[in-house]
Amino acid sequence: MLTTLEKVDILRKASLFGEIPTESLARLAAVTQETSFQAREALFQENAPAGALFVLVEGQVDLRRGGKHIQTQGAFRAVGALPLLAEQPYPDSAVASQLVRALRIERHELSEAMSEDFSITRGILRTLSRLAAGADQLSSL
Amino acid sequence: MINYLQKALNVRRDEFGAASLLFLYLFFIIAAYIMGQSVGKAMYLNAFARYLPHAIIATALVVGIFASVYIRLSHHLRLGLLIIGSLLFFALSFVVFWWLTRLRVTWVYPLIYIWVYLAGAMGPTMGWTLGNCLLTTRQARRVFGFIGAGAILGAPCAGLFVADVIRAGHMRMETVLLVVAAALGLCAFLVWMLVRQASEGGEAALALAVPVSGDVPKNFRQSWSHIRGSRYLLLITGLIAAGCAATTIIGYQFDMIAYARYGADKVSLAVFFGRFNGYLGLAAFVLQMFVTGRLMRSFGIRATLLVLPVVFLAGTFALLLAPILLTACLLKGSHLLLRFSLDKSSTELLYLPVVPPGIKSQIKSFIDGFIWRTADGVAGVLLLVFANKLKFSPGRVGLVNIVFLAAWIVIAYSLRREYLNILRQAIEQRQLDPERTTAEVLDHTTTEVLAHALERGGEEQVLYGLSLFEAAREPAWHPVLRRLLEHSSPSVRQRAFQLLNDAGDGSIVPQAEKLLSDESLEVRTEAVHYLAVHAGRDPLALLKSGLNIPTPNLQGAVVACCARTGYPDMVSAAELILYTMLSASPPEDAASRREAARALGAIPPPSKLHTSLVELLGDFRPEVAQQALLAAGKIRRREFLPSVIEKLQEPNLRGAARAALAQYGELAVGTLHDYLDNDAIPTGLRRQIPHVLARIATPAAAAVLTDSLLQSDPNLRFEILRALNGLQRRDPTLVQPSPEVADLLESELIGYYRSVQILATLDPPALQPPYRHADELLLTRALRERMVHELNRIFRLLALLYPPRDIFSAYAGVTSGRPQLQANALEVLEHLLPVDFYRRLAYGLDPEISPKEKLAFAQHLCRTSLLSNAEALRVLLFSKDRWLCACALHTIGELRLVDLAADVQAVPHEHDAVLDETWRWTRFQLAAARTA
């Protein structure tokens, strides 16, 4: 079981949350859930409503669209973030290629944290603006 | 009985006391004036008829001097004290005059003549000033009609009384002076009761002061130069001056012809004056109550402005042809009838478009106080020349008056067109302020111009246009108001409905029934009120009428409507319905309770029904609690304040709580100050308070923020500074430099260099660009963030002391990371800041200064040095910054620094969940390290 500060230490390394002040990350860390997935287990399915995002702590995840492999994500990457923020279905499936440990953040928890603490909103906006130039990096969120 | 009176007079229960006392005051002050005038004039004419022009000139001079002294005293004395003192002075004077007349001293007659006019000029003005101070603008608009009736009724009662008692021999003429003194003494007593009622303590009550705004002309010279700059104001001044001179001459003609008729019989003369005033007073009362408003609404100011000079001109010619008492009475009678009804209403309307509104009362005071008296004096001098030197008969003196009357007509004619232009212009530029209007009634012309303004623009413009309809004491009406009942904005629908309600438009019953299902409670409440007043529908019966309207919505409107009346039976009914709403069962319970809260907000305080709001404020459903909060903001009762403030902690209620506290305004500032400075209150709640104070945005709110700057929690300090900077942006005069700002600036600067010291000890590369590196500790990152905040606070403090625009530009440059911009920013700071402070600040900011030099300077400034990581961590463990403390604990655990175990053990951690969790985790890590 991770402490809040351990979770903060993980979240700050994820590019989506890298611009958020650490004290604000503690609020976000408090609403994350530790979760794990066995190899070949799906974190989420393509076209399913985006209900949560995952920050990977350990292991790797394959992103697949229409059964085709698109890319692999490893530790400290956030997956499912963009559809969650856009309130759209997941465009890909995310499947664990090995044992995966991740922090799960529910959509309503993220929305609430963003409305409660503007530093979180500003941090995410800053990251998205910086990444907007590089579409590849953005789509990987 | 009292309830019936309140209902009939449209006076609310809470204002009935003050309104009744003001009514009595004006009744007795006018009665004193009419009694004094009847006997004073008879005595003077009997002894010094030849010298009437002298008396007119002397009266103008004395009233002018007294008014000037009174105005000067009003800047130094409390209003209550000044009025009571003036009234007692007049009362005592009349006692002395009575005593002198008993000694058959005839030289006292001129004094009596002048004093009567002096008291008659000052007394009513003092009463209206007091009324304006004691009542809010809305209250004044509602009750001034009733209060003014006291003045109108005082004249006939006193006139007929004095005529009867003297004629019947019940009282000697001289004794009437004692009655005048008694009436004035009674007025002083009424004023004492009024100011005592105004506040709890007698001394505090007398503290009522005449509000003086900073942007208005402060003396007659400034007022005159303002008038000279405006053609419109010059025309008004000319109109009033010509009117005053003409009426003074008419008064002279009447007095002299009456004197010629009754000759040496001063008792008959006094009786005649008394009866004349009495009957004319009655006629004026009838005219004012039933005719003036209709004439104004039908013909408009463009016609009514000309009525009086034309009538006077006809009367003057008649008096020239037949200089007898009957024609003199007709002329003087038309003066008394029209001057204080139709003409006064028209003249007051002329002030409506005078801008800026702040100067209106000052200009009006100047014209009433100086121009009026000067015109009287000029008329007196002309009478002296023509009547006394050239021996014109009273009838022939009318030839002189024809000049004034002709000038009056010409000016009135020019003003008609100018008024329309100025009014349109003021509406377009939104410079009219309905709150500062004293007009009795809006005439036909003005209403048409206002209605035109309602036809265009969005919600805000229409609401402004509607507010102008409420400018007069009598409600104005126009067909365009009916169309606004269909407007998309609920506020517009409600205001339009209210105006139609007030104006008594009885032809919109079907629309009112339709609006019972309106989405807005305020509109529904107006609909219920309308149907009750104009269609005779029982509000309670509406609930059983089977209308296709959600029950809670209709219930809420009926509760608000019944409770607003203030009548005990209606309030009881409202209470019963409210109880039903509060105890509704699912599935309607949430809607019922939400509408109940909304209805409570629509009931003006004080109301016993408001106690139910406590329960609703604690409701677990956010939609109910939000409505309850908004209602609390409208009611503004102190006992709700703690509940409202505590709701700032709940994110989904925060918006409503902020809005409510902003509506409390100044009333909430003291309690917010207590919460802000109370260390026992959760920090999360305290951090919300600066934002609320910034929304209240008064000097008191700004003072609280400055006063509370020295806080141990850095985030709270940041919020306070942010609020102060926001206030400063809105109004630079709100935030005054204070010692707290300078003290905090020094302390923040030392704090910043302390952070430099710690960071340089823990992670030296973190002080150099690019600052962030791959294996950076969480603590390092947190420390850098703290330094960013510290620097931000330093610049926010500097913005309170130096030009904020320059300071914030410099901050943007310093934090840009671009050497050129940083150099420019430092250049700006060097020019703005004192040399010593700039030097101390620049060491931390200048990119050309190496981390080693920065550290050395930090050690010099903080007068201490940190020799090891352990020492730096120890400082953080025992700092008041809980987040840095938690990060330090985490680092100790992560790096398993067992040497610091004793320090970790001593860290106070119980009151913060994150700190407590990290403390336990660190101890576990250290124990594991020791075991290994």
Side-chain angles (χ1 to χ4, degrees):
Chain A
M1 180 90 172
L2 296 169
T3 64
T4 305
L5 264 81
E6 284 177 300
K7 288 178 180 175
V8 169
D9 210 12
I10 294 163
L11 290 175
R12 78 183 172 103
K13 290 170 185 164
S15 57
L16 179 68
F17 302 124
E19 295 289 337
I20 300 174
T22 51
E23 195 172 8
S24 297
L25 279 179
R27 290 186 196 191
L28 206 53
V31 296
T32 58
Q33 297 156 25
E34 280 179 68
T35 178
S36 58
F37 299 88
Q38 298 301 321
R40 291 192 295 281
E41 194 181 345
L43 278 71
F44 50 78
Q45 293 290 352
E46 186 178 344
N47 293 326
L53 69 85
F54 299 87
V55 176
L56 305 181
V57 181
E58 271 176 28
Q60 288 191 328
V61 166
D62 290 332
L63 297 179
R64 294 175 190 167
R65 190 174 297 168
K68 206 172 143 189
H69 177 265
I70 297 173
Q71 55 177 294
T72 301
Q73 300 285 3
F76 307 123
R77 301 305 296 260
V79 289
L82 265 193
L84 185 93
L85 291 168
E87 298 191 3
Q88 285 177 347
Y90 294 114
D92 320 302
S93 296
V95 180
S97 57
Q98 51 187 244
L99 177 68
V100 165
R101 278 179 64 217
L103 295 177
R104 178 189 170 101
I105 305 175
E106 297 291 334
R107 192 172 79 180
H108 71 273
E109 298 282 13
L110 181 65
S111 303
E112 213 157 274
M114 285 171 77
S115 66
E116 205 177 316
D117 186 347
F118 184 68
S119 299
I120 297 175
T121 314
R122 188 169 45 201
I124 292 175
L125 273 175
R126 232 179 237 171
T127 306
L128 292 178
S129 310
R130 281 186 189 165
L131 295 180
D136 286 351
Q137 289 181 63
L138 193 61
S139 65
S140 69
L141 285 173
Chain B
M1 177 65 182
I2 288 178
N3 279 343
Y4 174 76
L5 263 177
Q6 288 169 352
K7 206 171 178 176
L9 300 169
N10 188 26
V11 176
R12 289 187 181 160
R13 180 176 287 263
D14 54 319
E15 59 209 23
F16 189 70
S20 308
L21 289 173
L22 282 167
F23 172 91
L24 288 174
Y25 173 87
L26 283 170
F27 179 89
F28 283 112
I29 201 81
I30 293 293
Y33 170 63
I34 294 295
M35 287 188 291
Q37 195 202 45
S38 302
V39 296
K41 220 153 61 168
M43 283 175 178
Y44 183 81
L45 286 172
N46 187 258
F48 305 104
R50 260 197 84 231
Y51 299 103
L52 189 52
H54 298 78
I56 292 170
I57 297 167
T59 304
L61 274 173
V62 171
V63 174
I65 292 167
F66 191 92
S68 156
V69 172
Y70 179 86
I71 289 167
R72 275 175 194 277
L73 284 176
S74 72
H75 297 311
H76 305 288
L77 288 177
R78 292 156 182 181
L79 182 65
L81 201 63
L82 183 61
I83 295 178
I84 292 171
S86 306
L87 289 168
L88 290 178
F89 166 71
F90 288 133
L92 194 65
S93 307
F94 280 100
V95 174
V96 174
F97 296 154
W98 166 77
W99 179 69
L100 289 171
T101 54
R102 280 178 64 85
L103 300 177
R104 304 200 182 282
V105 178
T106 51
W107 57 258
V108 76
Y109 295 158
L111 275 179
I112 295 172
Y113 181 94
I114 293 166
W115 244 240
V116 164
Y117 278 94
L118 182 61
M122 297 302 298
T125 310
M126 294 191 293
W128 289 117
T129 311
L130 196 61
N132 276 318
C133 285
L134 291 173
L135 301 166
T136 64
T137 317
R138 287 204 166 273
Q139 284 176 326
R141 194 158 288 148
R142 204 165 35 242
V143 304
F144 270 14
F146 164 62
I147 294 170
I152 298 174
L153 280 175
C157 293
L160 295 174
F161 165 77
V162 81
D164 279 357
V165 293
I166 293 174
R167 190 178 56 87
H170 296 315
M171 201 181 276
R172 293 179 61 233
M173 267 177 72
E174 290 75 11
T175 316
V176 174
L177 295 175
L178 272 186
V179 181
V180 171
L184 290 166
L186 182 60
C187 286
F189 177 69
L190 290 170
V191 173
W192 179 77
M193 281 179 71
L194 267 166
V195 288
R196 189 160 173 246
Q197 201 184 59
S199 61
E200 289 165 10
E203 191 56 32
L206 293 174
L208 279 170
V210 184
V212 180
S213 168
D215 59 348
V216 297
K218 289 180 180 59
N219 53 43
F220 281 0
R221 221 169 112 186
Q222 287 177 12
S223 298
W224 175 238
S225 71
H226 202 91
I227 288 173
R228 271 196 324 183
S230 156
R231 178 180 144 79
Y232 182 66
L233 287 177
L234 272 177
L235 284 172
I236 295 181
T237 310
L239 184 93
I240 287 169
C244 286
T247 49
T248 303
I249 293 173
I250 289 170
Y252 169 84
Q253 290 177 291
F254 171 73
D255 289 349
M256 292 307 286
I257 290 172
Y259 169 69
R261 166 74 175 77
Y262 291 100
D265 185 358
K266 65 178 178 184
V267 171
S268 298
L269 196 57
V271 170
F272 167 73
F273 282 138
R275 277 195 181 157
F276 184 79
N277 282 327
Y279 288 124
L280 259 297
L282 273 180
F285 178 73
V286 173
L287 190 77
Q288 182 66 4
M289 290 292 131
F290 305 108
V291 184
T292 304
R294 283 177 198 183
L295 281 176
M296 295 288 290
R297 279 190 285 269
S298 306
F299 296 104
I301 190 172
R302 291 198 291 174
T304 54
L305 267 182
L306 286 167
V307 170
L308 199 60
V310 169
V311 169
F312 280 0
L313 196 63
T316 301
F317 277 118
L319 201 60
L320 263 173
L321 296 172
I324 55 170
L325 192 58
L326 179 65
T327 40
C329 283
L330 284 174
L331 183 56
K332 179 70 181 175
S334 63
H335 168 220
L336 292 181
L337 271 180
L338 299 172
R339 182 76 167 154
F340 300 105
S341 53
L342 197 63
D343 191 62
K344 185 168 172 275
S345 299
S346 307
T347 314
E348 277 180 356
L349 263 183
L350 290 177
Y351 288 104
L352 181 68
V354 172
V355 292
I359 66 153
K360 203 179 289 186
S361 63
Q362 212 67 17
I363 296 289
K364 200 167 179 294
S365 302
F366 172 74
I367 291 175
D368 289 351
F370 184 73
I371 299 295
W372 193 308
R373 301 305 150 208
T374 308
D376 281 350
V378 168
V381 172
L382 287 173
L383 287 170
L384 194 66
V385 173
F386 286 91
N388 286 23
K389 303 282 178 213
L390 301 176
K391 306 289 180 202
F392 274 34
S393 68
R396 273 187 71 202
V397 164
L399 288 171
V400 180
N401 214 8
I402 287 170
V403 178
F404 286 117
L405 292 170
W408 189 348
I409 290 170
V410 170
I411 296 170
Y413 190 80
S414 312
L415 256 175
R416 288 164 17 128
R417 202 169 32 195
E418 194 74 12
Y419 174 74
L420 275 187
N421 292 339
I422 296 279
L423 183 63
R424 282 197 193 109
Q425 208 175 321
I427 291 172
E428 271 165 26
Q429 294 169 3
R430 299 185 67 172
Q431 286 178 312
L432 284 193
D433 184 358
E435 296 288 310
R436 300 191 198 212
T437 304
T438 54
E440 288 279 343
V441 57
L442 289 183
D443 70 307
H444 174 69
T445 316
T446 313
T447 313
E448 280 299 326
V449 176
L450 296 184
H452 183 67
L454 293 178
E455 308 259 32
R456 59 216 151 89
E459 181 192 11
E460 215 177 308
Q461 282 93 332
V462 176
L463 281 174
Y464 170 69
L466 285 172
S467 73
L468 298 179
F469 267 77
E470 295 175 309
R473 284 176 208 149
E474 279 188 32
W477 181 91
H478 193 277
V480 77
L481 293 175
R482 289 180 188 162
R483 288 208 292 278
L484 290 179
L485 292 179
E486 309 285 327
H487 199 277
S488 57
S489 153
S491 305
V492 171
R493 292 200 297 276
Q494 191 257 333
R495 291 292 285 275
F497 211 156
Q498 198 177 24
L499 284 167
L500 288 164
N501 238 337
D502 291 347
D505 184 338
S507 61
I508 49 164
V509 173
Q511 277 161 293
E513 281 174 344
K514 198 176 141 201
L515 288 168
L516 280 174
S517 57
D518 195 278
E519 54 169 334
S520 152
L521 173 93
E522 282 73 19
V523 178
R524 294 198 302 270
T525 307
E526 281 300 331
V528 172
H529 177 65
Y530 180 89
L531 289 170
V533 174
H534 299 290
R537 307 270 287 272
D538 179 359
L540 303 177
L542 283 171
L543 291 173
K544 298 171 192 158
S545 59
L547 293 163
N548 188 22
I549 300 166
T551 312
N553 292 10
L554 195 54
Q555 282 177 324
V558 173
V559 167
C561 181
C562 291
R564 270 186 196 180
T565 61
Y567 308 129
D569 49 339
M570 297 295 261
V571 175
S572 300
E575 199 173 6
L576 203 63
I577 302 168
L578 187 69
Y579 177 75
T580 316
M581 292 174 84
L582 292 177
S583 49
S585 328
E588 280 205 335
D589 57 338
S592 276
R593 289 171 74 85
R594 187 192 62 220
E595 288 307 313
R598 218 194 288 264
L600 287 172
I603 301 168
S607 166
K608 62 176 181 175
L609 269 61
H610 286 151
T611 46
S612 309
L613 202 63
V614 178
E615 182 189 334
L616 293 168
L617 280 168
D619 199 291
F620 67 93
R621 285 156 290 212
E623 70 268 30
V624 178
Q626 275 170 4
Q627 276 308 326
L629 283 167
L630 295 176
K634 290 178 186 165
I635 297 163
R636 300 171 79 231
R637 266 171 68 164
R638 275 187 193 280
E639 60 261 43
F640 300 145
L641 264 176
S643 305
V644 177
I645 293 173
E646 272 149 31
K647 293 287 182 289
L648 287 168
Q649 285 184 103
E650 297 178 35
N652 51 3
L653 297 180
R654 190 171 292 151
R658 282 177 178 169
L661 289 167
Q663 282 192 292
Y664 266 93
E666 200 84 334
L667 205 63
V669 170
T671 315
L672 286 168
H673 193 178
D674 295 342
Y675 271 77
L676 185 59
D677 282 351
N678 188 347
D679 289 335
I681 303 284
T683 321
L685 170 58
R686 292 168 71 200
R687 284 181 196 166
Q688 296 299 325
I689 290 172
H691 181 88
V692 175
L693 287 166
R695 269 183 80 162
I696 293 173
T698 60
V704 166
L705 286 166
T706 317
D707 192 47
S708 306
L709 260 174
L710 304 177
Q711 299 285 347
S712 58
D713 177 30
N715 288 331
L716 182 54
R717 287 205 299 277
F718 172 77
E719 292 300 336
I720 294 174
L721 281 171
R722 200 159 69 132
L724 280 168
N725 294 139
L727 280 177
Q728 191 186 38
R729 258 196 313 277
R730 187 187 289 194
D731 180 359
T733 60
L734 276 178
V735 184
Q736 302 297 330
S738 73
E740 282 86 358
V741 176
D743 292 349
L744 186 58
L745 187 57
E746 286 298 327
S747 141
E748 289 285 3
L749 193 68
I750 289 174
Y752 178 74
Y753 279 105
R754 189 69 171 154
S755 299
V756 168
Q757 254 187 314
I758 295 169
L759 191 58
T761 312
L762 287 174
D763 191 358
L767 268 182
Q768 277 176 304
Y771 305 110
R772 199 185 285 192
H773 52 95
D775 53 349
E776 179 184 60
L777 287 169
L778 175 63
L779 177 61
T780 309
R781 166 90 181 269
L783 257 171
R784 275 198 299 102
E785 285 167 2
R786 279 293 184 259
M787 286 174 67
V788 169
H789 286 174
E790 277 160 353
L791 196 61
N792 188 293
R793 289 198 299 270
I794 288 170
F795 274 81
R796 285 183 180 277
L797 281 163
L798 287 173
L800 297 177
L801 299 170
Y802 304 99
R805 212 189 160 103
D806 295 339
I807 293 292
F808 286 125
S809 300
Y811 178 70
V814 161
T815 53
S816 67
R818 294 165 63 184
Q820 185 59 44
L821 290 180
Q822 285 174 325
N824 291 346
L826 286 169
E827 189 84 10
V828 171
L829 289 174
E830 192 174 2
H831 279 94
L832 285 175
L833 308 179
V835 179
D836 177 53
F837 189 83
Y838 169 74
R839 195 177 58 82
R840 284 186 288 156
L841 182 63
Y843 253 98
L845 304 180
D846 195 338
E848 289 176 10
I849 295 175
S850 70
K852 206 175 162 186
E853 286 173 296
K854 281 183 186 174
L855 181 61
F857 184 75
Q859 282 173 347
H860 162 73
L861 195 71
C862 301
R863 295 173 189 196
T864 175
S865 56
L866 293 173
L867 300 173
S868 65
N869 281 1
E871 210 173 321
L873 286 167
R874 224 171 262 132
V875 170
L876 293 175
L877 282 182
F878 298 102
S879 73
K880 285 183 180 169
D881 190 324
R882 288 177 185 180
W883 178 241
L884 284 184
C885 178
C887 290
L889 280 172
H890 179 80
T891 305
I892 292 167
E894 194 180 12
L895 302 177
R896 302 197 168 193
L897 304 173
V898 288
D899 292 351
L900 290 167
D903 298 294
V904 169
Q905 186 65 31
V907 170
H909 54 91
E910 295 84 2
H911 303 297
D912 187 301
V914 173
L915 196 60
D916 188 52
E917 181 195 46
T918 315
W919 182 81
R920 287 174 198 286
W921 178 84
T922 305
R923 278 189 67 213
F924 176 79
Q925 294 295 322
L926 296 181
R930 248 188 250 118
T931 313

